[in-house]
Amino acid sequence: MLTAIGNTPLVRLAKVVPSGAADVWVKLEYFSPTGSYKDPMALSMVERAEARGDLKPGMTVVEYTGGSTGISLEFVCAVKGYRCRIVSNDAVATEKLRAMEAFGAELEILKSKGGKLTPDLVPRMMERAREIAAEGPSYATDQMRNPDMVAGYESLGEELLRQMQGPIHTFCAAVGTSGMLMGTARVLRRASPNTRIVAFEPATSAVLSGGAAGPHGVEGVAPGFVPPQFDVSVVSETRGIDEGEGRRMARELARREGLFAGTSTGLNVAGAIHIAKEIGPGHSVVTVAVDSGLKYLAGDLYTVPPR
């Protein structure tokens, strides 16, 4: 099953991008085994730790996660035979928590404030994961601080270079750990130093853009602090995107493009279209559909009044 990771499709949006705008391409990472873009980075963190001798048979893998990393990491651990202990929270989609358990994770869920992703939540998860890792022979993947996580996303950049029929003028995506944006940008910039790299975040928690941390409902992004792996020298621009616009875009993608994804994908595409309108025809903007809409059916993303 680990060999099924990667080589996901790339599609050009046909209906939601207005006329007179650049082409917008979306990498469908939900075609990976767990339905998430986190699969390559989870495999990278485990196999690079094994190669160094930091992770050995009989040890426990420990991680804090809003969901998708935990699913991908436990998937890799299930195939390789490692025990996996995960710290998550009750603000993430129920489907994600159940998926982690389905793969065999031992799950500890921290309480959020009002069901929102507040600035204190990720630090609390990180601290609890540290405590668990200290209990016995374990390897803490510590995704926020782990350079192996960034390296795991270089394959995404390499796939884009093979798949795109022409230059990539802008690559853009919302930032959580920042690994996907950094790893992909590293490869794209080696091929073409002028590629524009744009980081997105919810407007209510636009820390990278110089604003204050605040609550939001976009799972997996904007932890409330600048991620340790975020390299500002690689990024051309950061933008806060309205969460409501991103949610509406997620629904539009399903209804008009047949692209069924979650909240952060809606944010990615909404931001990509803003850029496409600015730079105009003859250019390309590339972003990522990070996970499947199937992970969001129990929440309110797709619960809308009948038309």
Side-chain angles (χ1 to χ4, degrees), residues 52-72:
R52 291 191 300 268
D54 295 338
L55 176 58
K56 300 174 183 177
M59 295 177 68
T60 299
V61 173
V62 181
E63 183 58 279
Y64 49 87
T65 170
S68 289
T69 294
I71 299 169
S72 296

Side-chain angles (χ1 to χ4, degrees), residues 15 37 69 89 130 145 147 156 159 177 202 206 217 224-225 248 254 260 281 283:
K15 295 181 179 178
Y37 76 133
T69 294
N89 65 81
R130 279 193 291 268
R145 300 187 179 93
L156 195 153
E159 289 177 24
T177 63
F225 53 86
R248 290 190 294 273
F260 189 33
H283 298 88

Side-chain angles (χ1 to χ4, degrees), residues 71-92:
I71 299 169
S72 296
L73 191 59
E74 179 50 48
F75 156 67
V76 173
C77 287
V79 175
K80 288 180 171 286
Y82 293 110
R83 180 189 182 196
C84 185
R85 297 183 66 182
I86 298 290
V87 180
S88 192
N89 65 81
D90 64 359
V92 306

Side-chain angles (χ1 to χ4, degrees), residues 217-219 243 246-247 250 261-268 291 296 301:
V218 185
E219 296 179 26
E243 180 180 337
R247 286 173 168 266
T263 50
S264 54
T265 298
L267 201 78
N268 282 350
D291 61 5
Y296 299 88
L301 178 60

